[in-house]
Amino acid sequence: MSKMRGRILIPLPNTGAMGRKRNNFYMRSIFILALLLFGLLQYHSFNYLDSRDTMLGEAVTNDSVDAILSMVPATLHKYLTPHSRNQSSGSALLLNASAAALAGAGLNSATTISFGIYRPPNITEIRRQIVKYNEMQMVLNEDTFGPLQNDSVIIVIQVHTRISYLRHLIVSLAQARDISKSLLVFSHDYYDDDINDLVQQIDFCKVLQIFYPYSIQTHPNEYPGVDPNDCPRNIKKEQAIISSCNNALYPDLYGHYREAKFTQTKHHWWWKANRVFNELEVTRFHTGPVLFLEEDHYVAEDFLYLLAMMQQRTQDLCPQCNILSLGTYLKTFNYYTYHSKLRVRVRFAKIETQSIRYDFRKVEAMPWISSKHNMGFAFNRTTWMSIRRCARHFCSYDDYNWDWSLQHVSQQCLQRKLHAMIVKGPRVFHIGECGVHHKNKNCESNQVISKVQHVLRIARKSHQLFPRSLVMAVPSLMKKSKLRKGNGGWGDLRDHELCLNMTLPTR
């Protein structure tokens, strides 16, 4: 014990524990540095992509006439160049191009060109022409492309007065594969010589014009136009009864009375469907799909190719589907190429509301919804006959919209509900900025047209059009669609009767 008192004990360092602490410190430091470096790289990557999006977006907004014409084959410029008798405002979309053509011909803006005075036909003459066209049922270009085959696609286009948009729809149709095998049926509710000239200029497929005979144009001072004794929209029912105005006892479900400009669209849609399926000689034995478009739509060059593929795959992908839909109402489209990470974002609205990745091979199935699937959709005679048997539900439903009325038919009358196969990457686009429900300051804007052209060019260059196969997307959970209250505007018993009379057989 005495020896131990003289020694000083010095504790040795625990080198193993300190080494582990030091190593942990280094590892944490390296991990944090790596994380920071990764974040920095991601930041620069996103900035790069956003800058590319910005540059591409700037390219998209180039909506000049020259830029739009440069995206169209020269042989199709004839459909975009107005040859108006009176240079109406509806044909002013490409006046700059016409001026350029004059300059190229050695003429300046001061050059005077005399065409004589054009006098549009009066109502009596218009009625006579409509009767003539509807009786003749002349199919243009049939001698070139042969008779309509029973399984060919019939494309029915509802036309009003917006010739500028119709020009671009025709250009897009002209560039579609297999369009020469189709029949274009233009259904007009306004007789216009400039529109007729444009339609009759088409030389890439068979064409037929039909004219809705009960339009506001041909009945300006009587039903179905505006009768002087019609009840004003906002008059109270008690006052209407006292004044004995037309249909005083039957306002719509919101207490309003009929407005002809709103009722015409539903009448026209129902009339043209009955006309195409049940009255035209050329469609007597037709069993193929009938595709419904409007004058302010624009189609991709593979829309017929994809429609045929969807039709072939219906039995194994979606046996319950009786409608094929090629268009969707979305504000933003993101197209990703198959072989690279390049992202192209196109904004179809001032505020970007959603961002969606598109695979042009994918389709999905769901119950047909009027507000989502009413653009570029097709069905055959079997589906039509089931809809037609529910004419009373369609014609008496208090809603001036044909698509809401059709959904009401599906929910309330059809044994086999309307079920749609929808493409995830749209092949039909909406280019119209003005119409029944929307009035912009500039109804001749080319901005949306330019964006659609750019989107399709990107899809074409990245080989996303003409897919070799279709893939059914995993169905998203959807709430069961509730029975909805109509939008009104269809309380007048005269409209119910006119609508029902359109289903009477005439063939």
Side-chain angles (χ1 to χ4, degrees):
M1 291 294 294
S2 60
K3 291 182 179 181
M4 292 294 293
R5 288 175 185 170
R7 297 176 60 184
I8 301 174
L9 299 177
I10 301 175
L12 296 175
N14 189 346
T15 54
M18 290 188 67
R20 284 193 297 274
K21 289 181 180 179
R22 189 181 298 109
N23 288 340
N24 288 340
F25 172 77
Y26 289 149
M27 290 297 292
R28 282 197 297 270
S29 300
I30 292 171
F31 176 76
I32 291 170
L33 286 173
L35 193 63
L36 289 172
L37 182 61
F38 176 77
L40 189 62
L41 289 173
Q42 287 292 99
Y43 174 76
H44 284 292
S45 175
F46 283 129
N47 275 352
Y48 170 72
L49 287 173
D50 286 341
S51 66
R52 293 200 64 159
D53 283 345
T54 301
M55 289 188 293
L56 288 168
E58 289 174 354
V60 168
T61 58
N62 185 358
D63 57 357
S64 67
V65 170
D66 290 339
I68 289 177
L69 284 174
S70 69
M71 301 281 279
V72 175
T75 55
L76 302 180
H77 286 188
K78 62 183 180 181
Y79 299 119
L80 296 177
T81 306
H83 298 288
S84 174
R85 293 176 172 85
N86 53 12
Q87 290 296 342
S88 62
S89 60
S91 302
L93 183 65
L94 294 176
L95 288 180
N96 290 341
S98 299
L102 290 174
L107 301 174
N108 57 41
S109 58
T111 303
T112 301
I113 303 176
S114 176
F115 295 103
I117 298 173
Y118 167 69
R119 291 183 175 86
N122 58 32
I123 293 175
T124 302
E125 177 63 17
I126 288 173
R127 286 185 176 182
R128 191 182 70 81
Q129 291 291 342
I130 286 176
V131 170
K132 183 187 76 171
Y133 274 109
N134 286 344
E135 285 182 351
M136 288 177 59
Q137 301 186 29
M138 180 180 292
V139 179
L140 304 177
N141 305 322
E142 191 174 33
D143 54 339
T144 303
F145 299 104
L148 179 71
Q149 301 301 306
N150 291 339
D151 59 350
S152 295
V153 178
I154 296 177
I155 303 168
V156 184
I157 303 166
Q158 186 156 325
V159 183
H160 185 49
T161 60
R162 296 176 293 175
I163 189 173
S164 58
Y165 294 126
L166 181 62
R167 292 183 184 281
H168 288 277
L169 171 59
I170 290 172
V171 165
S172 69
L173 290 166
Q175 298 177 81
R177 181 188 291 183
D178 293 330
I179 190 64
S180 62
K181 300 176 183 178
S182 301
L183 169 65
L184 292 184
V185 178
F186 291 86
S187 183
H188 306 265
D189 59 27
Y190 190 86
Y191 186 94
D192 180 81
D193 282 325
D194 290 335
I195 292 177
N196 293 341
D197 289 346
L198 172 63
V199 170
Q200 291 163 18
Q201 192 181 2
I202 293 173
D203 57 8
F204 52 80
C205 69
K206 294 180 286 292
V207 173
L208 172 65
Q209 287 181 277
I210 59 177
F211 290 83
Y212 173 61
Y214 313 113
S215 69
I216 298 173
Q217 182 192 29
T218 55
H219 299 76
N221 302 310
E222 60 181 333
Y223 179 86
V226 181
D227 189 301
N229 195 44
D230 280 348
C231 297
R233 178 186 185 272
N234 295 320
I235 192 173
K236 299 297 182 183
K237 184 177 179 179
E238 295 78 11
Q239 295 174 316
I241 294 173
I242 294 172
S243 67
S244 299
C245 56
N246 293 331
N247 198 56
L249 295 175
Y250 301 100
D252 69 9
L253 54 85
Y254 297 101
H256 301 305
Y257 289 94
R258 179 181 191 271
E259 292 180 275
K261 64 181 179 180
F262 293 117
T263 60
Q264 177 168 278
T265 304
K266 177 174 173 177
H267 278 307
H268 183 183
W269 191 92
W270 186 245
W271 175 86
K272 77 179 181 188
N274 278 276
R275 180 78 173 160
V276 170
F277 281 107
N278 299 105
E279 297 180 7
L280 296 177
E281 287 300 319
V282 70
T283 63
R284 178 185 286 270
F285 304 108
H286 184 261
T287 58
V290 175
L291 177 69
F292 291 87
L293 298 176
E294 296 180 16
E295 63 187 9
D296 60 348
H297 290 170
Y298 194 101
V299 299
E301 61 200 66
D302 69 338
F303 84 103
L304 287 172
Y305 170 89
L306 196 73
L307 182 64
M309 185 178 289
M310 293 168 71
Q311 190 179 12
Q312 293 167 2
R313 297 296 309 279
T314 299
Q315 199 57 40
D316 59 304
L317 289 180
C318 182
Q320 75 274 28
C321 288
N322 47 17
I323 284 184
L324 305 176
S325 181
L326 298 176
T328 50
Y329 290 97
L330 294 171
K331 301 299 183 185
T332 306
F333 305 106
N334 279 1
Y335 293 92
Y336 289 76
T337 65
Y338 292 142
H339 306 295
S340 72
K341 294 182 180 179
L342 174 63
R343 177 180 64 180
V344 178
R345 178 190 302 156
V346 179
R347 296 182 179 181
F348 278 74
K350 292 181 180 178
I351 302 175
E352 184 173 338
T353 57
Q354 50 188 319
S355 182
I356 297 174
R357 294 187 181 188
Y358 268 125
D359 185 337
F360 272 57
R361 301 167 300 171
K362 284 188 176 180
V363 294
E364 58 183 349
M366 64 181 66
W368 188 80
I369 301 173
S370 61
S371 58
K372 294 182 179 180
H373 310 138
N374 63 357
M375 180 173 63
F377 71 101
F379 53 78
N380 60 20
R381 185 180 297 276
T382 302
T383 301
W384 165 250
M385 293 308 294
S386 63
I387 293 171
R388 190 170 182 265
R389 284 191 288 268
C390 296
R392 190 162 297 279
H393 284 78
F394 183 93
C395 292
S396 61
Y397 182 54
D398 194 358
D399 194 305
Y400 66 94
N401 296 288
W402 64 263
D403 49 352
W404 280 59
S405 302
L406 193 60
Q407 185 166 339
H408 174 77
V409 165
S410 176
Q411 293 175 328
Q412 292 292 87
C413 182
L414 294 182
Q415 290 185 345
R416 183 186 176 191
K417 309 299 183 189
L418 297 180
H419 211 88
M421 182 191 295
I422 307 114
V423 293
K424 296 286 285 182
R427 266 42 176 218
V428 176
F429 298 83
H430 184 253
I431 60 174
E433 295 187 306
C434 296
V436 175
H437 300 95
H438 302 286
K439 293 291 182 185
N440 290 344
K441 291 182 180 178
N442 182 10
C443 290
E444 302 296 339
S445 172
N446 302 336
Q447 192 172 48
V448 178
I449 297 168
S450 177
K451 288 178 179 180
V452 171
Q453 286 180 328
H454 187 75
V455 163
L456 292 176
R457 183 175 65 176
I458 295 297
R460 188 182 309 116
K461 286 186 175 181
S462 57
H463 308 290
Q464 296 191 60
L465 301 179
F466 299 100
R468 295 181 180 179
S469 61
L470 292 180
V471 179
M472 179 62 73
V474 177
S476 55
L477 294 176
M478 288 187 61
K479 294 180 181 178
K480 188 174 180 181
S481 138
K482 296 180 180 178
L483 292 175
R484 298 181 298 184
K485 189 178 180 181
N487 291 296
W490 200 263
D492 199 310
L493 297 186
R494 294 174 297 175
D495 287 322
H496 299 184
E497 183 179 358
L498 175 61
C499 181
L500 284 170
N501 286 341
M502 292 176 189
T503 63
L504 297 177
T506 60
R507 185 172 59 191

